[in-house]
Amino acid sequence: MPPIAQPAQPAPRWPIDNLPIEEVLRSQGIQPVSSLKDLAYPDLWDSDEEYAEFLADLYASRQADVG
């Protein structure tokens, strides 16, 4: 059986491996966050009850991981 030829350089794992991160971000249209208000989503919960249910479930899941 003839030996298997090895590539001169390993192939990149992802197409973006050889690009600077700034170029990757720019190509994806990602802009820096200039304010925490940019991350706010005021209408995330339909009601206070839905928000309270989410928090209760979150706290319960965290306690389950501790226990």
Side-chain angles (χ1 to χ4, degrees), residues 19-59:
L19 297 175
I21 189 65
E22 292 83 5
E23 189 174 332
V24 173
L25 296 173
R26 187 174 32 260
S27 73
Q28 295 178 0
I30 297 173
Q31 299 293 321
V33 175
S34 59
S35 168
L36 289 179
K37 289 182 180 181
D38 294 344
L39 301 176
Y41 188 69
D43 298 325
L44 182 60
W45 310 110
D46 290 332
S47 67
D48 290 343
E49 292 80 22
E50 184 180 1
Y51 176 64
E53 289 173 13
F54 167 77
L55 289 179
D57 184 59
L58 175 64
Y59 296 146

